[in-house]
Amino acid sequence: MLIRYVRMTFQADKVSEFEEIFNSSKDKIRAMQGCCHLELMRDINQPNIYMTHSHWESETDLNNYRDSELFKATWAKTKVLFAEKPLAFSVESLTVV
């Protein structure tokens, strides 16, 4: 299981536009082969900072999503709204208590 986090800082006046993009694509992302979980979070102190948290059965599944037309179209609309470069990383869970 691969766990993916993407932290995104948006221009303050573009937050609602991002939420519209996410809401229109979230079900399609979640339906992608290998996607087991998709969550959108927002920083409690900086409301223009969001993070996606997703679980993928494998790195191949994540890469297939990242190579898909869905990702390309969604990312093209999203990246123009950023105030800062996004931070993305993948991890594996070692221990859950």
Side-chain angles (χ1 to χ4, degrees), residues 35-88:
C35 183
C36 307
H37 176 85
L38 178 61
E39 180 177 4
L40 179 65
M41 300 173 281
R42 183 174 56 206
D43 188 293
I44 61 171
N45 295 310
Q46 298 177 78
N48 66 317
I49 297 178
Y50 286 75
M51 183 175 289
T52 57
H53 166 215
S54 56
H55 294 188
W56 297 86
E57 290 182 17
S58 69
E59 187 172 14
T60 299
D61 290 325
L62 172 61
N63 287 335
N64 287 340
Y65 163 63
R66 293 179 69 211
D67 290 336
S68 73
E69 290 305 314
L70 172 60
F71 175 82
K72 291 173 186 173
T74 303
W75 195 247
K77 291 185 264 184
T78 301
K79 68 182 180 180
V80 298
L81 309 176
F82 291 144
E84 297 177 14
K85 184 178 177 182
L87 175 63

Side-chain angles (χ1 to χ4, degrees), residues 14-47:
K14 302 295 183 182
V15 165
S16 62
E17 193 172 338
F18 164 69
E19 288 180 354
E20 289 176 21
I21 293 166
F22 183 82
N23 286 329
S24 69
S25 61
K26 65 184 177 185
D27 293 329
K28 296 173 192 166
I29 297 168
R30 181 61 181 83
M32 292 293 297
Q33 175 70 38
C35 183
C36 307
H37 176 85
L38 178 61
E39 180 177 4
L40 179 65
M41 300 173 281
R42 183 174 56 206
D43 188 293
I44 61 171
N45 295 310
Q46 298 177 78

